[in-house]
């Protein structure tokens, strides 16, 4: 599942490629939006918040896209072959020197730009925002002290941007199991680590929490492999239908 840093980088690249240009083709291949033709509109810019991306147009509207589990935006030169099947394309934007193709974007919404903030008002502070409010994030994280830290970190109403990868890695760095209650965790450190890891990866497509692209993660998707700290085999389990990864020796209740 794409994390907040993935969406941030995609949004930045989209903004660089499209902002200030006129759509020569603007198709939305989504059941609810297929009748809309955005051809001829100018792209004013692209904004991201957590895992949400807003592409703004000159008619006063925005397209909100959420990557969910398998969505992505790709940029191509005219005539370049797409790297995903055409039947997965849900948005096709073309300007004079670029194509922006949104693949597997199941969650698309066309709305007035003025309504963007209302749509995301339930979300916690954006971890990659320049004005990130750490105190607000800590307050939201500790609102339910008995809740499992692994569930709280993934809740976008607490902080916007953490996905399954960073949940696993933050818990490892905190040396707590994902099932540990929030009350047993240093909440300020959990927030700081979440922001630090996303910031470390916001400008690169390959995510690393270890600082080494050869072994990119401490525990995420490393089930059965030796822990990088103690060599105990990493384990995985499910919480609320999602896999979590942990070292049974380094992390404890």
């Amino acid at each position: 599942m794409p994390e907040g840093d993935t969406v941030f980088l995609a949004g930045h690249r989209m903004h660089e490629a499209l902002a200030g240009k006129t759509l020569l083709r603007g198709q939305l291949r989504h059941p609810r939006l297929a009748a809309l033709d955005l051809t001829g509109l100018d792209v004013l810019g692209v904004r991201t918040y957590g895992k949400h991306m807003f592409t703004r147009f000159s008619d006063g509207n925005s397209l909100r896209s959420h990557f969910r589990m398998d969505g992505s935006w790709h940029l191509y030169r005219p005539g370049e072959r797409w790297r995903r099947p055409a039947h997965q394309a849900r948005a096709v934007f073309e300007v004079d020197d670029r194509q922006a193709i949104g693949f597997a974007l199941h969650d698309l919404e066309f709305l007035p730009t003025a309504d963007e903030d209302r749509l995301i008002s339930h979300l916690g502070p954006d971890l990659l925002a320049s004005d990130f409010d750490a105190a607000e994030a800590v307050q939201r994280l500790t609102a339910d002290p008995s809740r499992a830290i692994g569930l709280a970190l993934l809740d976008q109403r607490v902080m916007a941007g953490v996905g399954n990868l960073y949940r696993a890695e933050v818990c490892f760095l905190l040396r707590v199991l994902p099932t540990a209650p929030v009350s047993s965790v240093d909440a300020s450190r959990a927030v700081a680590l979440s922001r630090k890891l996303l910031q470390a990866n916001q400008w690169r497509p390959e995510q690393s929490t270890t600082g080494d692209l050869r072994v990119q993660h401490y525990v995420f998707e490393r089930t059965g492999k030796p822990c990088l700290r103690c060599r105990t085999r990493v384990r995985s389990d499910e919480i609320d239908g999602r896999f979590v990864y942990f070292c049974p020796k380094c992390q404890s209740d």
Side-chain angles (χ1 to χ4, degrees):
M1 179 177 70
E3 314 268 334
D5 53 350
T6 304
V7 178
F8 173 88
L9 182 57
H12 172 76
R13 289 176 170 175
M14 287 269 289
H15 181 86
E16 291 290 303
L18 302 180
K21 298 180 180 179
T22 301
L23 290 181
L24 305 179
R25 179 163 55 148
Q27 297 178 346
L28 297 176
R29 302 176 182 179
H30 188 280
R32 289 187 291 102
L33 304 175
L36 289 175
D37 183 1
L38 308 184
T39 302
L41 295 180
D42 294 333
V43 180
L44 301 184
V46 179
R47 168 204 184 193
T48 61
Y49 191 101
K51 299 182 183 182
H52 298 259
M53 180 187 295
F54 296 92
T55 305
R56 295 170 168 175
F57 302 102
S58 55
D59 66 345
N61 290 304
S62 297
L63 178 71
R64 181 188 68 89
S65 54
H66 193 294
F67 288 25
R68 295 298 176 191
M69 296 297 292
D70 57 348
S72 61
W73 280 97
H74 292 189
L75 290 171
Y76 299 98
R77 295 286 183 181
E80 185 179 354
R81 185 173 181 176
W82 295 356
R83 296 187 299 277
R84 292 184 66 165
H87 69 82
Q88 293 183 3
R90 295 293 176 265
V92 178
F93 296 157
E94 185 173 344
V95 294
D96 56 352
D97 61 346
R98 284 287 194 281
Q99 285 185 333
I101 314 298
F103 291 102
L105 298 173
H106 312 292
D107 190 354
L108 288 176
E109 184 173 356
F110 198 67
L111 70 156
T113 300
D115 288 347
E116 288 179 4
D117 288 342
R118 176 190 57 78
L119 193 69
I120 57 176
S121 61
H122 65 290
L123 298 176
D126 180 0
L127 283 159
L128 290 177
S130 58
D131 59 349
F132 174 70
D133 189 339
E136 173 69 15
V138 170
Q139 182 178 357
R140 288 175 178 243
L141 183 62
T142 56
D144 184 354
S146 64
R147 192 180 193 189
I149 183 64
L151 292 178
L153 287 173
L154 208 59
D155 189 343
Q156 301 303 294
R157 296 169 298 180
V158 173
M159 296 179 287
V162 173
N164 212 28
L165 187 164
Y166 290 119
R167 164 171 72 172
E169 300 295 280
V170 167
C171 286
F172 176 81
L173 292 170
L174 290 171
R175 296 200 171 209
V176 298
L177 290 172
T179 53
V182 169
S183 59
S184 68
V185 174
D186 183 338
S188 294
R189 185 160 181 255
V191 169
L193 279 172
S194 299
R195 180 164 164 81
K196 179 180 179 180
L197 292 181
L198 265 77
Q199 285 182 318
N201 290 296
Q202 70 183 110
W203 296 112
R204 60 188 182 195
E206 293 189 47
Q207 296 155 313
S208 173
T209 53
T210 64
D212 186 345
L213 290 178
R214 293 169 298 178
V215 184
Q216 294 171 274
H217 310 127
Y218 290 105
V219 291
F220 179 70
E221 293 187 340
R222 298 192 69 245
T223 305
K225 296 180 180 179
C227 171
L228 299 184
R229 276 188 179 150
C230 71
R231 311 308 291 174
T232 301
R233 294 196 180 278
V234 172
R235 292 176 56 186
S236 59
D237 205 342
E238 284 193 27
I239 297 181
D240 201 27
R242 299 287 302 280
F243 275 108
V244 291
Y245 305 87
F246 58 93
C247 171
K249 184 174 181 180
C250 291
Q251 297 167 254
S252 64
D253 287 323

